[in-house]
PDB file of all heavy atoms in Angstrom:
ATOM      1  N   HIS A  37      65.016 158.487  57.857  1.00 41.00           N
ATOM      2  CA  HIS A  37      66.056 157.807  58.633  1.00 41.00           C
ATOM      3  C   HIS A  37      65.606 156.376  58.907  1.00 41.00           C
ATOM      4  O   HIS A  37      64.826 156.121  59.808  1.00 41.00           O
ATOM      5  CB  HIS A  37      66.273 158.572  59.930  1.00 41.00           C
ATOM      6  CG  HIS A  37      67.568 158.260  60.571  1.00 41.00           C
ATOM      7  ND1 HIS A  37      67.978 158.833  61.722  1.00 41.00           N
ATOM      8  CD2 HIS A  37      68.564 157.414  60.218  1.00 41.00           C
ATOM      9  CE1 HIS A  37      69.147 158.387  62.074  1.00 41.00           C
ATOM     10  NE2 HIS A  37      69.521 157.516  61.166  1.00 41.00           N
ATOM     11  N   LEU A  38      66.094 155.438  58.098  1.00 40.00           N
ATOM     12  CA  LEU A  38      65.700 154.049  58.270  1.00 40.00           C
ATOM     13  C   LEU A  38      66.083 153.556  59.663  1.00 40.00           C
ATOM     14  O   LEU A  38      67.184 153.782  60.136  1.00 40.00           O
ATOM     15  CB  LEU A  38      66.396 153.179  57.211  1.00 40.00           C
ATOM     16  CG  LEU A  38      65.932 153.390  55.772  1.00 40.00           C
ATOM     17  CD1 LEU A  38      66.825 152.598  54.831  1.00 40.00           C
ATOM     18  CD2 LEU A  38      64.489 152.940  55.602  1.00 40.00           C
ATOM     19  N   GLY A  39      65.150 152.849  60.290  1.00 42.00           N
ATOM     20  CA  GLY A  39      65.440 152.294  61.617  1.00 42.00           C
ATOM     21  C   GLY A  39      65.319 153.300  62.728  1.00 42.00           C
ATOM     22  O   GLY A  39      65.772 153.058  63.828  1.00 42.00           O
ATOM     23  N   ASN A  40      64.707 154.460  62.475  1.00 45.00           N
ATOM     24  CA  ASN A  40      64.512 155.429  63.540  1.00 45.00           C
ATOM     25  C   ASN A  40      63.736 154.799  64.685  1.00 45.00           C
ATOM     26  O   ASN A  40      62.852 153.977  64.480  1.00 45.00           O
ATOM     27  CB  ASN A  40      63.748 156.637  62.991  1.00 45.00           C
ATOM     28  CG  ASN A  40      63.650 157.753  64.011  1.00 45.00           C
ATOM     29  OD1 ASN A  40      62.882 157.672  64.948  1.00 45.00           O
ATOM     30  ND2 ASN A  40      64.441 158.784  63.813  1.00 45.00           N
ATOM     31  N   SER A  41      64.095 155.214  65.910  1.00 41.00           N
ATOM     32  CA  SER A  41      63.519 154.566  67.082  1.00 41.00           C
ATOM     33  C   SER A  41      62.005 154.716  67.154  1.00 41.00           C
ATOM     34  O   SER A  41      61.335 153.950  67.833  1.00 41.00           O
ATOM     35  CB  SER A  41      64.154 155.121  68.353  1.00 41.00           C
ATOM     36  OG  SER A  41      63.937 156.510  68.435  1.00 41.00           O
ATOM     37  N   SER A  42      61.446 155.711  66.450  1.00 42.00           N
ATOM     38  CA  SER A  42      60.011 155.923  66.540  1.00 42.00           C
ATOM     39  C   SER A  42      59.250 155.277  65.395  1.00 42.00           C
ATOM     40  O   SER A  42      58.051 155.420  65.290  1.00 42.00           O
ATOM     41  CB  SER A  42      59.720 157.435  66.562  1.00 42.00           C
ATOM     42  OG  SER A  42      60.167 158.031  65.358  1.00 42.00           O
ATOM     43  N   SER A  43      59.946 154.569  64.485  1.00 46.00           N
ATOM     44  CA  SER A  43      59.279 153.947  63.352  1.00 46.00           C
ATOM     45  C   SER A  43      59.580 152.455  63.338  1.00 46.00           C
ATOM     46  O   SER A  43      60.461 151.971  64.022  1.00 46.00           O
ATOM     47  CB  SER A  43      59.756 154.589  62.039  1.00 46.00           C
ATOM     48  OG  SER A  43      61.147 154.398  61.884  1.00 46.00           O
ATOM     49  N   THR A  44      58.815 151.715  62.529  1.00 50.00           N
ATOM     50  CA  THR A  44      59.049 150.289  62.402  1.00 50.00           C
ATOM     51  C   THR A  44      60.357 150.060  61.676  1.00 50.00           C
ATOM     52  O   THR A  44      60.579 150.598  60.601  1.00 50.00           O
ATOM     53  CB  THR A  44      57.904 149.629  61.610  1.00 50.00           C
ATOM     54  OG1 THR A  44      56.684 149.897  62.304  1.00 50.00           O
ATOM     55  CG2 THR A  44      58.118 148.137  61.501  1.00 50.00           C
ATOM     56  N   PRO A  45      61.287 149.271  62.227  1.00 57.00           N
ATOM     57  CA  PRO A  45      62.590 149.086  61.594  1.00 57.00           C
ATOM     58  C   PRO A  45      62.464 148.457  60.210  1.00 57.00           C
ATOM     59  O   PRO A  45      61.640 147.564  59.984  1.00 57.00           O
ATOM     60  CB  PRO A  45      63.324 148.150  62.555  1.00 57.00           C
ATOM     61  CG  PRO A  45      62.610 148.288  63.858  1.00 57.00           C
ATOM     62  CD  PRO A  45      61.194 148.571  63.520  1.00 57.00           C
ATOM     63  N   THR A  46      63.267 148.953  59.274  1.00 69.00           N
ATOM     64  CA  THR A  46      63.328 148.362  57.945  1.00 69.00           C
ATOM     65  C   THR A  46      64.375 147.261  57.934  1.00 69.00           C
ATOM     66  O   THR A  46      65.462 147.427  58.477  1.00 69.00           O
ATOM     67  CB  THR A  46      63.706 149.442  56.902  1.00 69.00           C
ATOM     68  OG1 THR A  46      62.711 150.462  56.931  1.00 69.00           O
ATOM     69  CG2 THR A  46      63.797 148.846  55.515  1.00 69.00           C
ATOM     70  N   SER A 177      62.263 139.363  67.644  1.00 63.00           N
ATOM     71  CA  SER A 177      61.727 140.611  68.189  1.00 63.00           C
ATOM     72  C   SER A 177      61.645 141.672  67.107  1.00 63.00           C
ATOM     73  O   SER A 177      62.457 141.716  66.185  1.00 63.00           O
ATOM     74  CB  SER A 177      62.639 141.099  69.322  1.00 63.00           C
ATOM     75  OG  SER A 177      62.335 142.422  69.666  1.00 63.00           O
ATOM     76  N   SER A 178      60.679 142.559  67.228  1.00 63.00           N
ATOM     77  CA  SER A 178      60.530 143.613  66.235  1.00 63.00           C
ATOM     78  C   SER A 178      61.404 144.820  66.527  1.00 63.00           C
ATOM     79  O   SER A 178      61.472 145.749  65.728  1.00 63.00           O
ATOM     80  CB  SER A 178      59.064 144.068  66.178  1.00 63.00           C
ATOM     81  OG  SER A 178      58.671 144.595  67.444  1.00 63.00           O
ATOM     82  N   SER A 179      62.077 144.806  67.701  1.00 80.00           N
ATOM     83  CA  SER A 179      62.853 145.988  68.073  1.00 80.00           C
ATOM     84  C   SER A 179      64.152 146.119  67.300  1.00 80.00           C
ATOM     85  O   SER A 179      64.680 147.217  67.143  1.00 80.00           O
ATOM     86  CB  SER A 179      63.140 145.988  69.572  1.00 80.00           C
ATOM     87  OG  SER A 179      63.957 144.894  69.925  1.00 80.00           O
ATOM     88  N   PHE A 180      64.723 145.020  66.824  1.00 91.00           N
ATOM     89  CA  PHE A 180      65.927 145.111  65.989  1.00 91.00           C
ATOM     90  C   PHE A 180      66.068 143.843  65.166  1.00 91.00           C
ATOM     91  O   PHE A 180      65.436 142.818  65.429  1.00 91.00           O
ATOM     92  CB  PHE A 180      67.185 145.378  66.814  1.00 91.00           C
ATOM     93  CG  PHE A 180      67.544 144.310  67.812  1.00 91.00           C
ATOM     94  CD1 PHE A 180      68.273 143.188  67.418  1.00 91.00           C
ATOM     95  CD2 PHE A 180      67.202 144.424  69.151  1.00 91.00           C
ATOM     96  CE1 PHE A 180      68.644 142.205  68.325  1.00 91.00           C
ATOM     97  CE2 PHE A 180      67.562 143.456  70.072  1.00 91.00           C
ATOM     98  CZ  PHE A 180      68.289 142.338  69.655  1.00 91.00           C
ATOM     99  N   GLY A 181      66.944 143.942  64.156  1.00 92.00           N
ATOM    100  CA  GLY A 181      67.129 142.829  63.237  1.00 92.00           C
ATOM    101  C   GLY A 181      68.465 142.145  63.414  1.00 92.00           C
ATOM    102  O   GLY A 181      69.146 142.300  64.422  1.00 92.00           O
ATOM    103  N   GLU A 191      75.581 147.238  61.194  1.00 98.00           N
ATOM    104  CA  GLU A 191      74.538 147.313  62.215  1.00 98.00           C
ATOM    105  C   GLU A 191      74.586 146.074  63.099  1.00 98.00           C
ATOM    106  O   GLU A 191      74.715 144.948  62.613  1.00 98.00           O
ATOM    107  CB  GLU A 191      73.149 147.428  61.580  1.00 98.00           C
ATOM    108  CG  GLU A 191      72.022 147.498  62.607  1.00 98.00           C
ATOM    109  CD  GLU A 191      70.637 147.593  61.974  1.00 98.00           C
ATOM    110  OE1 GLU A 191      70.500 148.274  60.925  1.00 98.00           O
ATOM    111  OE2 GLU A 191      69.695 146.979  62.521  1.00 98.00           O
ATOM    112  N   ILE A 192      74.481 146.290  64.387  1.00 98.00           N
ATOM    113  CA  ILE A 192      74.390 145.204  65.344  1.00 98.00           C
ATOM    114  C   ILE A 192      73.663 145.732  66.569  1.00 98.00           C
ATOM    115  O   ILE A 192      73.726 146.938  66.880  1.00 98.00           O
ATOM    116  CB  ILE A 192      75.784 144.640  65.712  1.00 98.00           C
ATOM    117  CG1 ILE A 192      75.652 143.288  66.418  1.00 98.00           C
ATOM    118  CG2 ILE A 192      76.581 145.628  66.537  1.00 98.00           C
ATOM    119  CD1 ILE A 192      76.978 142.537  66.533  1.00 98.00           C
ATOM    120  N   SER A 193      72.961 144.846  67.259  1.00 97.00           N
ATOM    121  CA  SER A 193      72.141 145.251  68.404  1.00 97.00           C
ATOM    122  C   SER A 193      72.355 144.305  69.567  1.00 97.00           C
ATOM    123  O   SER A 193      72.911 143.214  69.424  1.00 97.00           O
ATOM    124  CB  SER A 193      70.654 145.252  68.027  1.00 97.00           C
ATOM    125  OG  SER A 193      70.391 146.079  66.910  1.00 97.00           O
ATOM    126  N   THR A 194      71.887 144.730  70.720  1.00 97.00           N
ATOM    127  CA  THR A 194      71.864 143.861  71.886  1.00 97.00           C
ATOM    128  C   THR A 194      70.559 144.032  72.636  1.00 97.00           C
ATOM    129  O   THR A 194      69.997 145.132  72.687  1.00 97.00           O
ATOM    130  CB  THR A 194      73.036 144.139  72.845  1.00 97.00           C
ATOM    131  OG1 THR A 194      72.948 143.248  73.967  1.00 97.00           O
ATOM    132  CG2 THR A 194      73.028 145.566  73.362  1.00 97.00           C
ATOM    133  N   LEU A 196      68.515 144.217  76.162  1.00 96.00           N
ATOM    134  CA  LEU A 196      68.837 144.757  77.486  1.00 96.00           C
ATOM    135  C   LEU A 196      67.648 144.572  78.408  1.00 96.00           C
ATOM    136  O   LEU A 196      66.491 144.682  77.975  1.00 96.00           O
ATOM    137  CB  LEU A 196      69.155 146.260  77.401  1.00 96.00           C
ATOM    138  CG  LEU A 196      70.455 146.667  76.727  1.00 96.00           C
ATOM    139  CD1 LEU A 196      70.473 148.177  76.487  1.00 96.00           C
ATOM    140  CD2 LEU A 196      71.657 146.265  77.568  1.00 96.00           C
ATOM    141  N   PRO A 197      67.899 144.305  79.684  1.00 96.00           N
ATOM    142  CA  PRO A 197      66.781 144.320  80.636  1.00 96.00           C
ATOM    143  C   PRO A 197      66.284 145.751  80.812  1.00 96.00           C
ATOM    144  O   PRO A 197      67.079 146.698  80.778  1.00 96.00           O
ATOM    145  CB  PRO A 197      67.400 143.781  81.927  1.00 96.00           C
ATOM    146  CG  PRO A 197      68.865 144.029  81.792  1.00 96.00           C
ATOM    147  CD  PRO A 197      69.182 143.967  80.329  1.00 96.00           C
ATOM    148  N   ASN A 198      64.999 145.924  80.999  1.00 92.00           N
ATOM    149  CA  ASN A 198      64.468 147.288  81.041  1.00 92.00           C
ATOM    150  C   ASN A 198      64.846 148.056  82.294  1.00 92.00           C
ATOM    151  O   ASN A 198      64.642 149.268  82.369  1.00 92.00           O
ATOM    152  CB  ASN A 198      62.943 147.291  80.864  1.00 92.00           C
ATOM    153  CG  ASN A 198      62.231 146.460  81.921  1.00 92.00           C
ATOM    154  OD1 ASN A 198      62.830 146.091  82.923  1.00 92.00           O
ATOM    155  ND2 ASN A 198      60.961 146.171  81.688  1.00 92.00           N
ATOM    156  N   LEU A 202      72.243 152.674  82.110  1.00 98.00           N
ATOM    157  CA  LEU A 202      73.371 152.833  81.193  1.00 98.00           C
ATOM    158  C   LEU A 202      73.935 154.244  81.284  1.00 98.00           C
ATOM    159  O   LEU A 202      73.190 155.225  81.434  1.00 98.00           O
ATOM    160  CB  LEU A 202      72.931 152.545  79.752  1.00 98.00           C
ATOM    161  CG  LEU A 202      73.077 151.101  79.255  1.00 98.00           C
ATOM    162  CD1 LEU A 202      72.254 150.142  80.096  1.00 98.00           C
ATOM    163  CD2 LEU A 202      72.678 150.985  77.784  1.00 98.00           C
ATOM    164  N   LEU A 216      71.648 157.215  80.389  1.00 97.00           N
ATOM    165  CA  LEU A 216      71.127 157.252  79.035  1.00 97.00           C
ATOM    166  C   LEU A 216      69.607 157.157  79.096  1.00 97.00           C
ATOM    167  O   LEU A 216      69.041 156.425  79.908  1.00 97.00           O
ATOM    168  CB  LEU A 216      71.701 156.110  78.199  1.00 97.00           C
ATOM    169  CG  LEU A 216      73.222 156.065  78.037  1.00 97.00           C
ATOM    170  CD1 LEU A 216      73.607 155.013  77.006  1.00 97.00           C
ATOM    171  CD2 LEU A 216      73.788 157.418  77.624  1.00 97.00           C
ATOM    172  N   PHE A 217      68.954 157.910  78.211  1.00 97.00           N
ATOM    173  CA  PHE A 217      67.497 158.036  78.264  1.00 97.00           C
ATOM    174  C   PHE A 217      66.901 157.410  77.012  1.00 97.00           C
ATOM    175  O   PHE A 217      67.253 157.785  75.894  1.00 97.00           O
ATOM    176  CB  PHE A 217      67.118 159.512  78.349  1.00 97.00           C
ATOM    177  CG  PHE A 217      65.675 159.762  78.678  1.00 97.00           C
ATOM    178  CD1 PHE A 217      65.214 159.648  79.977  1.00 97.00           C
ATOM    179  CD2 PHE A 217      64.764 160.103  77.681  1.00 97.00           C
ATOM    180  CE1 PHE A 217      63.885 159.881  80.287  1.00 97.00           C
ATOM    181  CE2 PHE A 217      63.436 160.337  77.980  1.00 97.00           C
ATOM    182  CZ  PHE A 217      62.994 160.225  79.290  1.00 97.00           C
ATOM    183  N   PRO A 218      66.003 156.427  77.172  1.00 96.00           N
ATOM    184  CA  PRO A 218      65.421 155.767  75.998  1.00 96.00           C
ATOM    185  C   PRO A 218      64.782 156.767  75.044  1.00 96.00           C
ATOM    186  O   PRO A 218      64.024 157.645  75.458  1.00 96.00           O
ATOM    187  CB  PRO A 218      64.369 154.833  76.606  1.00 96.00           C
ATOM    188  CG  PRO A 218      64.851 154.563  77.987  1.00 96.00           C
ATOM    189  CD  PRO A 218      65.504 155.844  78.440  1.00 96.00           C
ATOM    190  N   GLY A 219      65.126 156.615  73.756  1.00 94.00           N
ATOM    191  CA  GLY A 219      64.580 157.499  72.739  1.00 94.00           C
ATOM    192  C   GLY A 219      65.444 158.693  72.419  1.00 94.00           C
ATOM    193  O   GLY A 219      65.283 159.313  71.359  1.00 94.00           O
ATOM    194  N   ASP A 220      66.363 159.073  73.329  1.00 93.00           N
ATOM    195  CA  ASP A 220      67.277 160.182  73.017  1.00 93.00           C
ATOM    196  C   ASP A 220      68.279 159.737  71.957  1.00 93.00           C
ATOM    197  O   ASP A 220      68.730 158.588  71.967  1.00 93.00           O
ATOM    198  CB  ASP A 220      68.036 160.625  74.265  1.00 93.00           C
ATOM    199  CG  ASP A 220      67.248 161.608  75.107  1.00 93.00           C
ATOM    200  OD1 ASP A 220      66.123 161.949  74.722  1.00 93.00           O
ATOM    201  OD2 ASP A 220      67.763 162.032  76.161  1.00 93.00           O
ATOM    202  N   TYR A 222      71.872 159.335  70.193  1.00 96.00           N
ATOM    203  CA  TYR A 222      73.279 159.296  70.591  1.00 96.00           C
ATOM    204  C   TYR A 222      74.101 159.094  69.325  1.00 96.00           C
ATOM    205  O   TYR A 222      74.223 157.975  68.817  1.00 96.00           O
ATOM    206  CB  TYR A 222      73.537 158.193  71.619  1.00 96.00           C
ATOM    207  CG  TYR A 222      72.783 158.438  72.900  1.00 96.00           C
ATOM    208  CD1 TYR A 222      71.534 157.859  73.130  1.00 96.00           C
ATOM    209  CD2 TYR A 222      73.288 159.297  73.874  1.00 96.00           C
ATOM    210  CE1 TYR A 222      70.824 158.118  74.296  1.00 96.00           C
ATOM    211  CE2 TYR A 222      72.591 159.559  75.046  1.00 96.00           C
ATOM    212  CZ  TYR A 222      71.352 158.971  75.239  1.00 96.00           C
ATOM    213  OH  TYR A 222      70.653 159.240  76.390  1.00 96.00           O
ATOM    214  N   VAL A 270      73.714 155.580  67.679  1.00 98.00           N
ATOM    215  CA  VAL A 270      73.396 154.519  68.628  1.00 98.00           C
ATOM    216  C   VAL A 270      71.978 154.776  69.135  1.00 98.00           C
ATOM    217  O   VAL A 270      71.694 155.854  69.666  1.00 98.00           O
ATOM    218  CB  VAL A 270      74.385 154.473  69.803  1.00 98.00           C
ATOM    219  CG1 VAL A 270      74.088 153.277  70.696  1.00 98.00           C
ATOM    220  CG2 VAL A 270      75.824 154.410  69.294  1.00 98.00           C
ATOM    221  N   PHE A 271      71.111 153.808  68.934  1.00 97.00           N
ATOM    222  CA  PHE A 271      69.717 153.929  69.335  1.00 97.00           C
ATOM    223  C   PHE A 271      69.485 153.105  70.600  1.00 97.00           C
ATOM    224  O   PHE A 271      69.626 151.885  70.586  1.00 97.00           O
ATOM    225  CB  PHE A 271      68.789 153.437  68.220  1.00 97.00           C
ATOM    226  CG  PHE A 271      68.862 154.277  66.970  1.00 97.00           C
ATOM    227  CD1 PHE A 271      69.725 153.937  65.943  1.00 97.00           C
ATOM    228  CD2 PHE A 271      68.077 155.410  66.837  1.00 97.00           C
ATOM    229  CE1 PHE A 271      69.807 154.698  64.796  1.00 97.00           C
ATOM    230  CE2 PHE A 271      68.153 156.195  65.681  1.00 97.00           C
ATOM    231  CZ  PHE A 271      69.012 155.838  64.665  1.00 97.00           C
ATOM    232  N   TYR A 272      69.117 153.798  71.667  1.00 97.00           N
ATOM    233  CA  TYR A 272      68.816 153.137  72.937  1.00 97.00           C
ATOM    234  C   TYR A 272      67.315 153.206  73.148  1.00 97.00           C
ATOM    235  O   TYR A 272      66.733 154.293  73.217  1.00 97.00           O
ATOM    236  CB  TYR A 272      69.571 153.827  74.074  1.00 97.00           C
ATOM    237  CG  TYR A 272      69.218 153.321  75.448  1.00 97.00           C
ATOM    238  CD1 TYR A 272      69.209 151.955  75.733  1.00 97.00           C
ATOM    239  CD2 TYR A 272      68.900 154.208  76.476  1.00 97.00           C
ATOM    240  CE1 TYR A 272      68.885 151.484  76.998  1.00 97.00           C
ATOM    241  CE2 TYR A 272      68.587 153.752  77.748  1.00 97.00           C
ATOM    242  CZ  TYR A 272      68.574 152.392  77.997  1.00 97.00           C
ATOM    243  OH  TYR A 272      68.252 151.929  79.255  1.00 97.00           O
ATOM    244  N   ARG A 273      66.692 152.033  73.234  1.00 95.00           N
ATOM    245  CA  ARG A 273      65.233 151.983  73.346  1.00 95.00           C
ATOM    246  C   ARG A 273      64.760 151.472  74.711  1.00 95.00           C
ATOM    247  O   ARG A 273      63.587 151.194  74.888  1.00 95.00           O
ATOM    248  CB  ARG A 273      64.666 151.099  72.237  1.00 95.00           C
ATOM    249  CG  ARG A 273      64.973 151.599  70.835  1.00 95.00           C
ATOM    250  CD  ARG A 273      64.342 150.705  69.769  1.00 95.00           C
ATOM    251  NE  ARG A 273      64.638 151.176  68.426  1.00 95.00           N
ATOM    252  CZ  ARG A 273      65.695 150.802  67.710  1.00 95.00           C
ATOM    253  NH1 ARG A 273      66.559 149.948  68.240  1.00 95.00           N
ATOM    254  NH2 ARG A 273      65.897 151.271  66.504  1.00 95.00           N
ATOM    255  N   GLY A 274      65.663 151.326  75.643  1.00 96.00           N
ATOM    256  CA  GLY A 274      65.289 150.833  76.960  1.00 96.00           C
ATOM    257  C   GLY A 274      65.486 149.340  77.086  1.00 96.00           C
ATOM    258  O   GLY A 274      66.134 148.872  78.029  1.00 96.00           O
ATOM    259  N   THR A 275      64.940 148.565  76.138  1.00 95.00           N
ATOM    260  CA  THR A 275      65.112 147.105  76.172  1.00 95.00           C
ATOM    261  C   THR A 275      66.075 146.622  75.096  1.00 95.00           C
ATOM    262  O   THR A 275      66.268 145.414  74.945  1.00 95.00           O
ATOM    263  CB  THR A 275      63.764 146.394  75.986  1.00 95.00           C
ATOM    264  OG1 THR A 275      63.166 146.829  74.755  1.00 95.00           O
ATOM    265  CG2 THR A 275      62.823 146.717  77.134  1.00 95.00           C
ATOM    266  N   SER A 276      66.653 147.544  74.349  1.00 96.00           N
ATOM    267  CA  SER A 276      67.648 147.170  73.341  1.00 96.00           C
ATOM    268  C   SER A 276      68.511 148.375  73.020  1.00 96.00           C
ATOM    269  O   SER A 276      68.153 149.527  73.311  1.00 96.00           O
ATOM    270  CB  SER A 276      66.976 146.663  72.057  1.00 96.00           C
ATOM    271  OG  SER A 276      66.280 147.713  71.407  1.00 96.00           O
ATOM    272  N   LEU A 277      69.655 148.077  72.405  1.00 97.00           N
ATOM    273  CA  LEU A 277      70.572 149.122  71.958  1.00 97.00           C
ATOM    274  C   LEU A 277      71.117 148.706  70.601  1.00 97.00           C
ATOM    275  O   LEU A 277      71.548 147.561  70.430  1.00 97.00           O
ATOM    276  CB  LEU A 277      71.696 149.310  72.967  1.00 97.00           C
ATOM    277  CG  LEU A 277      72.689 150.452  72.720  1.00 97.00           C
ATOM    278  CD1 LEU A 277      73.079 151.118  74.045  1.00 97.00           C
ATOM    279  CD2 LEU A 277      73.941 149.938  72.029  1.00 97.00           C
ATOM    280  N   THR A 278      71.065 149.620  69.632  1.00 97.00           N
ATOM    281  CA  THR A 278      71.462 149.316  68.252  1.00 97.00           C
ATOM    282  C   THR A 278      72.532 150.288  67.781  1.00 97.00           C
ATOM    283  O   THR A 278      72.384 151.503  67.924  1.00 97.00           O
ATOM    284  CB  THR A 278      70.251 149.385  67.307  1.00 97.00           C
ATOM    285  OG1 THR A 278      69.287 148.416  67.696  1.00 97.00           O
ATOM    286  CG2 THR A 278      70.662 149.126  65.861  1.00 97.00           C
ATOM    287  N   TYR A 279      73.619 149.737  67.225  1.00 98.00           N
ATOM    288  CA  TYR A 279      74.668 150.537  66.599  1.00 98.00           C
ATOM    289  C   TYR A 279      74.444 150.571  65.086  1.00 98.00           C
ATOM    290  O   TYR A 279      74.212 149.526  64.476  1.00 98.00           O
ATOM    291  CB  TYR A 279      76.046 149.918  66.834  1.00 98.00           C
ATOM    292  CG  TYR A 279      76.487 149.781  68.266  1.00 98.00           C
ATOM    293  CD1 TYR A 279      76.201 148.629  68.994  1.00 98.00           C
ATOM    294  CD2 TYR A 279      77.240 150.779  68.891  1.00 98.00           C
ATOM    295  CE1 TYR A 279      76.636 148.472  70.298  1.00 98.00           C
ATOM    296  CE2 TYR A 279      77.690 150.623  70.194  1.00 98.00           C
ATOM    297  CZ  TYR A 279      77.384 149.462  70.896  1.00 98.00           C
ATOM    298  OH  TYR A 279      77.830 149.326  72.180  1.00 98.00           O
ATOM    299  N   LYS A 280      74.550 151.765  64.497  1.00 98.00           N
ATOM    300  CA  LYS A 280      74.527 151.912  63.038  1.00 98.00           C
ATOM    301  C   LYS A 280      75.737 152.759  62.658  1.00 98.00           C
ATOM    302  O   LYS A 280      75.808 153.940  62.975  1.00 98.00           O
ATOM    303  CB  LYS A 280      73.223 152.566  62.582  1.00 98.00           C
ATOM    304  CG  LYS A 280      71.992 151.735  62.942  1.00 98.00           C
ATOM    305  CD  LYS A 280      70.720 152.299  62.349  1.00 98.00           C
ATOM    306  CE  LYS A 280      69.536 151.378  62.672  1.00 98.00           C
ATOM    307  NZ  LYS A 280      68.294 151.789  61.985  1.00 98.00           N
TER     308      LYS A 280
END
Side-chain angles (χ1 to χ4, degrees):
H37 199 179
L38 291 173
N40 186 285
S41 59
S42 62
S43 61
T44 302
T46 300
S177 167
S178 61
S179 64
F180 62 84
E191 180 181 323
I192 195 167
S193 304
T194 180
L196 290 169
N198 58 14
L202 269 60
L216 300 189
F217 191 79
D220 276 0
Y222 297 95
V270 185
F271 295 93
Y272 174 50
R273 299 182 180 90
T275 57
S276 67
L277 185 142
T278 298
Y279 299 90
K280 298 187 177 187

